[in-house]
Tab-separated table of all heavy atoms in Angstrom:
chain	number	residue	atom	x	y	z
A	13	LYS	N	65.608	73.900	-141.241
A	13	LYS	CA	64.852	74.385	-142.468
A	13	LYS	C	65.534	75.637	-142.929
A	13	LYS	O	65.962	76.517	-142.261
A	13	LYS	CB	63.416	74.635	-142.148
A	13	LYS	CG	62.601	73.407	-141.697
A	13	LYS	CD	61.161	73.835	-141.388
A	13	LYS	CE	60.470	72.488	-140.967
A	13	LYS	NZ	59.016	72.841	-140.726
A	14	ALA	N	65.509	75.785	-144.283
A	14	ALA	CA	65.904	76.999	-144.944
A	14	ALA	C	64.757	78.033	-144.724
A	14	ALA	O	63.535	77.620	-144.736
A	14	ALA	CB	66.176	76.873	-146.392
A	15	PRO	N	65.017	79.314	-144.515
A	15	PRO	CA	63.916	80.311	-144.308
A	15	PRO	C	62.863	80.215	-145.409
A	15	PRO	O	61.674	80.392	-145.193
A	15	PRO	CB	64.697	81.618	-144.379
A	15	PRO	CG	66.024	81.225	-143.763
A	15	PRO	CD	66.335	79.939	-144.375
A	16	ALA	N	63.259	79.948	-146.722
A	16	ALA	CA	62.236	79.866	-147.683
A	16	ALA	C	61.272	78.738	-147.562
A	16	ALA	O	60.201	78.739	-148.069
A	16	ALA	CB	62.909	79.769	-149.080
A	17	GLU	N	61.728	77.634	-146.746
A	17	GLU	CA	60.876	76.490	-146.651
A	17	GLU	C	59.884	76.717	-145.416
A	17	GLU	O	59.053	75.931	-145.204
A	17	GLU	CB	61.742	75.253	-146.226
A	17	GLU	CG	62.624	74.768	-147.352
A	17	GLU	CD	63.642	73.707	-146.826
A	17	GLU	OE1	63.579	73.358	-145.647
A	17	GLU	OE2	64.291	73.241	-147.682
A	18	THR	N	60.113	77.809	-144.738
A	18	THR	CA	59.297	78.134	-143.573
A	18	THR	C	57.847	78.319	-143.973
A	18	THR	O	57.616	79.204	-144.803
A	18	THR	CB	59.777	79.374	-142.771
A	18	THR	OG1	61.154	79.105	-142.408
A	18	THR	CG2	59.076	79.567	-141.473
A	19	PRO	N	56.935	77.513	-143.464
A	19	PRO	CA	55.527	77.810	-143.856
A	19	PRO	C	55.025	79.019	-143.246
A	19	PRO	O	55.372	79.503	-142.243
A	19	PRO	CB	54.789	76.577	-143.256
A	19	PRO	CG	55.664	76.123	-142.185
A	19	PRO	CD	57.039	76.462	-142.522
A	20	ALA	N	54.096	79.733	-144.005
A	20	ALA	CA	53.455	80.962	-143.575
A	20	ALA	C	52.682	80.571	-142.291
A	20	ALA	O	51.982	79.614	-142.269
A	20	ALA	CB	52.567	81.524	-144.652
A	21	PRO	N	52.628	81.440	-141.281
A	21	PRO	CA	51.848	81.103	-140.118
A	21	PRO	C	50.352	81.253	-140.394
A	21	PRO	O	49.950	81.840	-141.400
A	21	PRO	CB	52.298	82.256	-139.135
A	21	PRO	CG	52.815	83.321	-140.035
A	21	PRO	CD	53.349	82.675	-141.234
A	22	ALA	N	49.629	80.680	-139.525
A	22	ALA	CA	48.166	80.813	-139.678
A	22	ALA	C	47.785	82.271	-139.483
A	22	ALA	O	48.493	83.145	-138.962
A	22	ALA	CB	47.464	79.959	-138.509
A	23	ILE	N	46.539	82.545	-139.950
A	23	ILE	CA	46.091	84.013	-139.819
A	23	ILE	C	46.162	84.504	-138.405
A	23	ILE	O	46.528	85.580	-138.172
A	23	ILE	CB	44.703	84.112	-140.435
A	23	ILE	CG1	44.694	83.904	-141.902
A	23	ILE	CG2	44.102	85.449	-140.092
A	23	ILE	CD1	43.412	83.797	-142.568
A	24	GLU	N	45.784	83.583	-137.475
A	24	GLU	CA	45.894	83.914	-136.035
A	24	GLU	C	47.003	83.143	-135.372
A	24	GLU	O	46.906	81.998	-135.198
A	24	GLU	CB	44.441	83.623	-135.416
A	24	GLU	CG	44.511	84.036	-133.935
A	24	GLU	CD	43.180	83.795	-133.211
A	24	GLU	OE1	42.198	83.389	-133.957
A	24	GLU	OE2	43.110	84.020	-132.034
A	25	LEU	N	48.037	83.857	-135.220
A	25	LEU	CA	49.225	83.239	-134.602
A	25	LEU	C	49.008	83.063	-133.012
A	25	LEU	O	48.646	84.013	-132.404
A	25	LEU	CB	50.437	84.093	-134.822
A	25	LEU	CG	51.816	83.447	-134.384
A	25	LEU	CD1	52.073	82.133	-135.062
A	25	LEU	CD2	52.917	84.407	-134.747
A	26	LEU	N	49.262	81.847	-132.518
A	26	LEU	CA	48.962	81.620	-131.099
A	26	LEU	C	50.346	81.881	-130.302
A	26	LEU	O	51.417	81.722	-130.806
A	26	LEU	CB	48.490	80.247	-130.955
A	26	LEU	CG	47.173	79.911	-131.588
A	26	LEU	CD1	46.837	78.452	-131.447
A	26	LEU	CD2	46.094	80.784	-131.096
A	27	PRO	N	50.139	82.119	-129.026
A	27	PRO	CA	51.400	82.164	-128.117
A	27	PRO	C	52.071	80.834	-128.201
A	27	PRO	O	51.476	79.756	-128.512
A	27	PRO	CB	50.798	82.427	-126.765
A	27	PRO	CG	49.434	82.978	-127.009
A	27	PRO	CD	48.978	82.363	-128.236
A	28	PRO	N	53.408	80.808	-127.801
A	28	PRO	CA	54.165	79.549	-127.792
A	28	PRO	C	53.677	78.670	-126.727
A	28	PRO	O	52.926	79.122	-125.765
A	28	PRO	CB	55.534	80.062	-127.460
A	28	PRO	CG	55.361	81.357	-126.771
A	28	PRO	CD	54.179	81.960	-127.339
A	29	PRO	N	53.900	77.373	-126.864
A	29	PRO	CA	53.576	76.392	-125.820
A	29	PRO	C	54.102	76.794	-124.473
A	29	PRO	O	55.157	77.297	-124.346
A	29	PRO	CB	54.207	75.089	-126.257
A	29	PRO	CG	54.412	75.204	-127.748
A	29	PRO	CD	54.605	76.741	-127.968
A	30	SER	N	53.311	76.491	-123.426
A	30	SER	CA	53.647	76.953	-122.055
A	30	SER	C	54.901	76.222	-121.478
A	30	SER	O	55.509	76.709	-120.558
A	30	SER	CB	52.534	76.750	-121.045
A	30	SER	OG	52.216	75.363	-121.037
A	31	ASP	N	55.312	75.174	-122.079
A	31	ASP	CA	56.559	74.436	-121.608
A	31	ASP	C	57.845	74.866	-122.351
A	31	ASP	O	58.828	74.185	-122.293
A	31	ASP	CB	56.299	72.866	-121.671
A	31	ASP	CG	56.124	72.477	-123.104
A	31	ASP	OD1	55.780	73.235	-124.019
A	31	ASP	OD2	56.219	71.159	-123.268
A	32	THR	N	57.726	75.980	-123.017
A	32	THR	CA	58.910	76.386	-123.820
A	32	THR	C	59.547	77.696	-123.095
A	32	THR	O	58.783	78.380	-122.401
A	32	THR	CB	58.636	76.751	-125.261
A	32	THR	OG1	57.793	77.861	-125.352
A	32	THR	CG2	58.019	75.533	-125.917
A	33	ALA	N	60.713	78.026	-123.362
A	33	ALA	CA	61.402	79.165	-122.905
A	33	ALA	C	60.728	80.499	-123.519
A	33	ALA	O	60.948	81.554	-122.968
A	33	ALA	CB	62.847	79.213	-123.164
A	34	PHE	N	59.966	80.317	-124.550
A	34	PHE	CA	59.397	81.477	-125.264
A	34	PHE	C	58.066	81.823	-124.609
A	34	PHE	O	57.497	82.914	-124.777
A	34	PHE	CB	59.091	81.116	-126.719
A	34	PHE	CG	60.352	81.124	-127.495
A	34	PHE	CD1	61.166	79.928	-127.599
A	34	PHE	CD2	60.791	82.341	-128.072
A	34	PHE	CE1	62.342	80.004	-128.318
A	34	PHE	CE2	61.969	82.356	-128.826
A	34	PHE	CZ	62.746	81.170	-128.925
A	35	HIS	N	57.493	80.990	-123.697
A	35	HIS	CA	56.277	81.347	-123.014
A	35	HIS	C	56.615	82.367	-121.808
A	35	HIS	O	57.553	82.148	-121.113
A	35	HIS	CB	55.562	80.082	-122.427
A	35	HIS	CG	54.142	80.349	-122.043
A	35	HIS	ND1	53.821	80.847	-120.749
A	35	HIS	CD2	53.000	80.201	-122.658
A	35	HIS	CE1	52.526	80.950	-120.696
A	35	HIS	NE2	52.047	80.581	-121.878
A	36	HIS	N	55.797	83.436	-121.767
A	36	HIS	CA	56.195	84.408	-120.755
A	36	HIS	C	56.168	83.978	-119.375
A	36	HIS	O	56.660	84.634	-118.471
A	36	HIS	CB	55.329	85.656	-121.090
A	36	HIS	CG	55.739	86.447	-122.340
A	36	HIS	ND1	55.049	87.443	-122.798
A	36	HIS	CD2	56.810	86.213	-123.165
A	36	HIS	CE1	55.718	87.929	-123.914
A	36	HIS	NE2	56.739	87.188	-124.128
A	37	SER	N	55.507	82.852	-119.041
A	37	SER	CA	55.507	82.416	-117.725
A	37	SER	C	56.777	81.828	-117.287
A	37	SER	O	57.136	81.591	-116.094
A	37	SER	CB	54.418	81.326	-117.487
A	37	SER	OG	54.782	80.176	-118.265
A	38	GLN	N	57.770	81.658	-118.270
A	38	GLN	CA	59.010	81.023	-118.029
A	38	GLN	C	60.147	82.156	-117.896
A	38	GLN	O	61.345	81.790	-117.824
A	38	GLN	CB	59.372	80.084	-119.246
A	38	GLN	CG	58.425	78.989	-119.451
A	38	GLN	CD	58.350	78.038	-118.293
A	38	GLN	OE1	59.312	77.724	-117.589
A	38	GLN	NE2	57.157	77.597	-117.977
A	39	THR	N	59.769	83.443	-117.954
A	39	THR	CA	60.745	84.481	-117.995
A	39	THR	C	61.266	84.765	-116.553
A	39	THR	O	60.433	84.618	-115.594
A	39	THR	CB	60.205	85.859	-118.549
A	39	THR	OG1	59.171	86.296	-117.838
A	39	THR	CG2	59.824	85.548	-120.005
A	40	PRO	N	62.552	85.202	-116.501
A	40	PRO	CA	63.022	85.546	-115.090
A	40	PRO	C	62.402	86.779	-114.464
A	40	PRO	O	62.431	86.970	-113.285
A	40	PRO	CB	64.528	85.775	-115.384
A	40	PRO	CG	64.763	85.741	-116.838
A	40	PRO	CD	63.456	85.411	-117.458
A	41	GLN	N	61.876	87.709	-115.309
A	41	GLN	CA	61.143	88.861	-114.757
A	41	GLN	C	59.674	88.680	-114.957
A	41	GLN	O	59.181	87.752	-115.611
A	41	GLN	CB	61.686	90.116	-115.408
A	41	GLN	CG	61.544	90.257	-116.927
A	41	GLN	CD	62.606	89.755	-117.681
A	41	GLN	OE1	62.882	88.562	-117.695
A	41	GLN	NE2	63.430	90.607	-118.419
A	42	SER	N	58.859	89.600	-114.481
A	42	SER	CA	57.423	89.480	-114.690
A	42	SER	C	57.064	89.628	-116.079
A	42	SER	O	57.787	90.243	-116.940
A	42	SER	CB	56.636	90.519	-113.834
A	42	SER	OG	56.677	91.760	-114.494
A	43	GLU	N	55.938	89.014	-116.553
A	43	GLU	CA	55.441	89.163	-117.879
A	43	GLU	C	55.219	90.559	-118.267
A	43	GLU	O	55.595	90.959	-119.344
A	43	GLU	CB	54.041	88.284	-117.981
A	43	GLU	CG	53.614	88.293	-119.408
A	43	GLU	CD	52.324	87.414	-119.578
A	43	GLU	OE1	52.048	86.715	-118.568
A	43	GLU	OE2	51.714	87.490	-120.540
A	44	ASN	N	54.662	91.403	-117.361
A	44	ASN	CA	54.504	92.829	-117.708
A	44	ASN	C	55.848	93.596	-118.009
A	44	ASN	O	55.920	94.383	-118.775
A	44	ASN	CB	53.639	93.524	-116.572
A	44	ASN	CG	52.217	93.113	-116.670
A	44	ASN	OD1	51.725	92.569	-117.747
A	44	ASN	ND2	51.537	93.336	-115.631
A	45	GLU	N	56.782	93.189	-117.057
A	45	GLU	CA	58.150	93.829	-117.285
A	45	GLU	C	58.688	93.621	-118.674
A	45	GLU	O	59.156	94.470	-119.273
A	45	GLU	CB	59.092	93.264	-116.216
A	45	GLU	CG	59.403	94.119	-115.061
A	45	GLU	CD	60.466	93.379	-114.241
A	45	GLU	OE1	60.129	92.462	-113.544
A	45	GLU	OE2	61.628	93.909	-114.200
A	46	PHE	N	58.658	92.269	-119.065
A	46	PHE	CA	59.228	91.943	-120.325
A	46	PHE	C	58.412	92.514	-121.472
A	46	PHE	O	58.874	92.894	-122.557
A	46	PHE	CB	59.601	90.505	-120.504
A	46	PHE	CG	60.451	90.190	-121.729
A	46	PHE	CD1	61.702	90.692	-121.870
A	46	PHE	CD2	59.906	89.597	-122.826
A	46	PHE	CE1	62.479	90.513	-122.867
A	46	PHE	CE2	60.687	89.308	-123.963
A	46	PHE	CZ	62.026	89.850	-123.959
A	47	ALA	N	57.062	92.552	-121.302
A	47	ALA	CA	56.135	93.107	-122.325
A	47	ALA	C	56.568	94.573	-122.505
A	47	ALA	O	56.609	95.013	-123.696
A	47	ALA	CB	54.719	92.942	-121.881
A	48	MET	N	56.820	95.296	-121.477
A	48	MET	CA	57.221	96.691	-121.629
A	48	MET	C	58.572	96.837	-122.290
A	48	MET	O	58.940	97.739	-123.122
A	48	MET	CB	57.277	97.382	-120.278
A	48	MET	CG	55.859	97.610	-119.735
A	48	MET	SD	54.651	98.354	-120.921
A	48	MET	CE	55.329	99.933	-121.205
A	49	THR	N	59.494	95.812	-122.079
A	49	THR	CA	60.727	95.796	-122.701
A	49	THR	C	60.618	95.672	-124.255
A	49	THR	O	61.153	96.282	-125.100
A	49	THR	CB	61.672	94.684	-122.261
A	49	THR	OG1	62.016	94.897	-120.856
A	49	THR	CG2	62.984	94.525	-123.004
A	50	LEU	N	59.605	94.808	-124.654
A	50	LEU	CA	59.287	94.603	-126.028
A	50	LEU	C	58.703	95.923	-126.725
A	50	LEU	O	59.076	96.255	-127.853
A	50	LEU	CB	58.291	93.435	-126.271
A	50	LEU	CG	58.870	92.052	-125.851
A	50	LEU	CD1	57.804	91.061	-126.120
A	50	LEU	CD2	60.186	91.750	-126.708
């Protein structure tokens, strides 16, 4: 998709699905470690 075609997110954006690399349970370090990196 072109960025302009990207729909606006819902007012309350949810965490990514748990079966994706974007879910913090899938990270090589602890969730708290990477949260502090962010």
Side-chain angles (χ1 to χ4, degrees):
K13 295 181 182 179
E17 296 172 357
T18 303
I23 292 171
E24 184 178 355
L25 185 61
L26 300 174
S30 61
D31 61 345
T32 69
F34 287 87
H35 194 274
H36 288 172
S37 66
Q38 304 296 322
T39 63
Q41 62 272 65
S42 79
E43 185 174 348
N44 286 341
E45 258 185 285
F46 192 65
M48 292 311 298
T49 297
L50 294 179

